Structure formats: C-alpha cells, structure tokens
C-alpha cells in the first residue's frame, strides 16, 4: 500500500477540492480526511457512516466541590491559569475552586497535589471519528468538538485506521487530505508517507508557504510534488513558484486553471472531475497521471 498525502501551506488553496478529484480518479483507494480542524471532504463525498468511535486527546481536571477545602494549592500550581476560586460553596468554604475546562491543558499537576483527593482527572471527550463508505471507496474522517485540540493525535489515529482498512481490503493506495500549515497536525499527516502533493496558488503567500512546507517534507525525507491551483490568475507568479520549487528539488507536476465550475460542482456534491462541463477537469486528469507515475517510481 502506498500513501499519498495532499497538503498546502495554508487553508483555502483548493487542497480538498483537488483531493476529492484524485479520489474520484483513483481505483482501489482508501481515503482519510486528516484536515480535522476544518474537515470538509465529506461535503463532496457524502460518506455513509458504518462505524463511530469517541476521540479523547487527553485528560481534563474537574474539582468535586463537595470535597474541596479551598486551600488554593491547585490554583497556585496550575501553570495554565485554569483554576479559579469561584466554585460553589460547601460546609468548609464559602467558595471552592473550579477548573475552566477550556483553559485546562490536562497536565495533571493539580490532581497529583490535591491532598483532599477532590480532583477527578478523566479522559476528555474531544470528538468522534468515523469509518464510512463513499462512492470512491472507504473513508476515515472525524469531527472535533468545539474549541477542541490535540488534532495531531487524531490525525495519527485516522491514518493508522486507513492503513488497516487498506491492508484488510487489499487496497493499494491511501489518499490523505492532510492538514494545512506546518504545525503538529500537518507533521502527523505526513510522517512516514510515500509521497506528498503540495497544492499552492499563485500569490506571494503561496510562494512563501511553499518554502516553509517543503522544509518540512525535506526534514522528514519525503518526496514532494507541487501543483499550482488557479495558475492563470497570475501566470508570472505561477512560473516563479514552479522555478522556486525546482530550485529546492521539488517537481512541479501540474497546473490547474481557474474554473467557475468548482463552486457549481461543490453545490452538486461532486468532485470537479465528476462534473461534466468543468474545463479544469482536464488539468486534474493530467495531474493524476503525473502523480500516478511518481507513485509507481
Ligand atoms: S488543592 Fe484540592 S482542596 Fe485545595 S483548592 Fe484545589 S481542589 Fe480544593
Ligand atoms: S490539569 Fe493542569 S492545566 Fe488542568 S487545571 Fe490541573 S494543573 Fe491546570
């Protein structure tokens, strides 16, 4: 099984739209939507959920007001300022301490040092992940709770499950819609992948982001390719991005023209290559041919 991860320097470059088209063109594929902070591959592929799983990214503290003597030790020790002396009163104190669940980073220090045993430290419920069927193949995806984090751990879970499904279903390719940027989720998206496709756009920030993202792929020793989406909005910058990519050893494998049909296809819940009149569909087919050739290298 080989694994192709589609990433971008930032959100909004058309990464998921490209991923959906590659998924539609691929045969024998498992998909993973690892852009868990802004998951939207499901909007096009309309997954039918066959299995749901809870996701816990770590533990959170919670003070049991009935046992708290309001000694203030936990408030003093919490380095994340997540404990406040404004909890409900009890027989010992007018006000007890209370943990702000959003601010709590789950370090566990308060739990360890509370002499009264008044603090629970339980796995947090941070969201759900799913195994689904789609018209393009099985898909693993997730939904984080509001303001929830630790998406790097969730990304790792999704990729591991996608590989397991590929192995048991004799599928020879996994296509991963990776996280944008260069933070923890994108590192979790690409480590150990066979090939990374960077989707960029012809803007100065696209040029700048390409440098940052390729530093990451180089650091992890992963072969990277680049394609310029909406290249005809600024042909000079598209040229410059491709020149810059070649200069750092990244092959430019495709240009996708600006196409108003992208939005129409999205409204109809179709990948661009499934939408009959889309001119950019030709560009995506050419891109897929190039990517397949590199996957076979
Ligand atoms: S350390 Fe325990 S008893 Fe003291 S304020 Fe915190 S929760 Fe209450
Ligand atoms: S677990 Fe850590 S971050 Fe959370 S309230 Fe306790 S000390 Fe603060």
């Amino acid at each position: 099984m080989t694994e192709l991860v589609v990433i971008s320097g930032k959100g909004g470059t058309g990464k998921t739209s490209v991923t959906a088209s590659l998924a539609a063109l691929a045969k024998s594929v498992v998909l993973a939507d690892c852009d868990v902070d802004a998951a939207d591959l499901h909007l096009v592929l309309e997954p039918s959920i066959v299995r749901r799983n809870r996701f816990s990214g770590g533990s959170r503290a919670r003070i049991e007001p009935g046992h708290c003597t309001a000694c203030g030790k936990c408030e003093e020790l919490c380095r994340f300022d997540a404990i406040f002396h404004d909890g409900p009163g009890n027989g010992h104190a007018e006000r007890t301490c209370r943990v702000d669940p959003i601010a709590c980073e789950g370090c566990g220090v308060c739990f360890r040092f509370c002499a009264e045993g008044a603090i629970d430290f339980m796995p947090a419920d941070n969201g759900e992940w799913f195994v689904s069927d789609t018209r393009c193949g099985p898909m693993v995806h997730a939904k984080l709770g509001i303001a929830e984090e630790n998406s790097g751990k969730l990304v790792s879970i999704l990729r591991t499950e996608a590989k397991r499904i590929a192995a048991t279903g004799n599928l020879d390719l996994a296509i991963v819609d990776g996280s944008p940027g260069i933070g923890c989720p994108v590192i979790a998206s690409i480590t150990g992948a066979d090939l990374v496709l960077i989707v960029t756009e012809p803007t100065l920030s696209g040029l700048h982001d390409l440098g940052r993202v390729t530093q990451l792929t180089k650091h992890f020793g992963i072969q990277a390719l680049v394609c310029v989406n909406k290249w005809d909005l600024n042909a000079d910058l598209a040229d410059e991005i491709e020149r810059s990519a070649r200069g750092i050893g990244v092959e430019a494998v495709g240009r996708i023209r600006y196409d108003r049909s992208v939005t129409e296809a999205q409204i109809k819940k179709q990948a661009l290559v499934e939408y009959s009149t889309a001119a950019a569909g030709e560009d995506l087919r050419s891109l897929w041919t190039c990517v397949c050739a590199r996957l076979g290298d």
Side-chain angles (χ1 to χ4, degrees):
M1 199 273 301
T2 49
E3 188 181 28
L4 167 69
V5 184
V6 185
I7 62 171
S8 59
K10 67 174 182 63
T13 60
K15 170 180 64 64
T16 298
S17 175
V18 170
T19 306
S21 281
L22 301 188
L25 291 167
K27 305 273 183 287
S28 179
V29 68
V30 56
L31 307 163
D33 188 352
C34 290
D35 188 355
V36 292
D37 293 307
D40 51 13
L41 195 56
H42 65 283
L43 297 176
V44 177
L45 297 185
E46 295 188 286
S48 154
I49 295 171
V50 293
R51 183 154 55 88
R52 320 173 80 100
N53 309 268
R54 301 304 313 176
F55 168 65
S56 176
S59 294
R60 292 264 165 80
R62 195 186 71 82
I63 294 172
E64 175 52 58
H67 298 147
C68 175
T69 58
C71 69
K73 189 75 181 169
C74 55
E75 190 180 9
E76 177 194 323
L77 290 175
C78 178
R79 296 186 59 190
F80 300 96
D81 294 330
I83 298 181
F84 298 88
H85 194 176
D86 62 0
N90 59 24
H92 309 286
E94 200 173 314
R95 286 269 163 227
T96 55
C97 280
R98 173 190 65 88
V99 175
D100 175 352
I102 304 286
C104 174
E105 290 284 334
C107 69
V109 165
C110 58
F111 168 71
R112 281 180 193 89
F113 285 90
C114 174
E116 305 299 327
I119 301 180
D120 288 333
F121 193 58
M122 305 291 283
D125 188 0
N126 301 118
E128 273 188 293
W129 62 274
F130 317 95
V131 177
S132 297
D133 286 331
T134 75
R135 62 185 180 278
C136 300
M139 174 164 137
V140 190
H141 53 119
K143 187 172 179 199
L144 274 174
I146 294 165
E148 298 295 357
E149 293 178 359
N150 207 346
S151 47
K153 181 179 175 186
L154 181 55
V155 166
S156 298
I157 290 172
L158 298 183
R159 285 182 67 205
T160 302
E161 181 64 13
K163 283 180 197 159
R164 194 195 63 74
I165 292 170
T168 53
N170 280 329
L171 303 170
D172 44 29
L173 176 65
I175 298 182
V176 176
D177 187 7
S179 305
I182 56 167
C184 171
V186 73
I187 291 169
S189 297
I190 66 169
T191 43
D194 298 290
L195 189 63
V196 162
L197 174 65
I198 302 164
V199 178
T200 188
E201 57 186 4
T203 60
L204 283 175
S205 73
L207 182 63
H208 177 250
D209 290 342
L210 177 70
R212 298 191 318 154
V213 173
T214 50
Q215 273 177 4
L216 206 60
T217 54
K218 274 185 186 301
H219 177 79
F220 289 103
I222 305 162
Q223 185 189 356
L225 310 171
V226 66
C227 72
V228 186
N229 194 21
K230 302 179 223 165
W231 72 271
D232 44 348
L233 293 183
N234 191 330
D236 290 343
L237 261 176
D239 288 345
E240 196 173 337
I241 284 172
E242 291 184 346
R243 250 196 321 275
S244 164
R246 280 192 291 275
I248 48 180
V250 173
E251 187 184 0
V253 285
R255 288 182 167 198
I256 304 159
R257 74 194 80 173
Y258 175 75
D259 190 336
R260 288 180 188 277
S261 305
V262 170
T263 311
E264 292 163 25
Q266 280 169 350
I267 291 167
K268 291 189 179 325
K269 297 181 183 294
Q270 290 182 347
L272 200 55
V273 293
E274 297 173 312
Y275 191 67
S276 56
T277 59
E282 285 171 37
D283 304 335
L284 285 155
R285 286 187 185 85
S286 306
L287 171 68
W288 179 236
T289 303
C290 287
V291 170
C292 285
R294 303 309 173 272
L295 281 169
D297 284 350

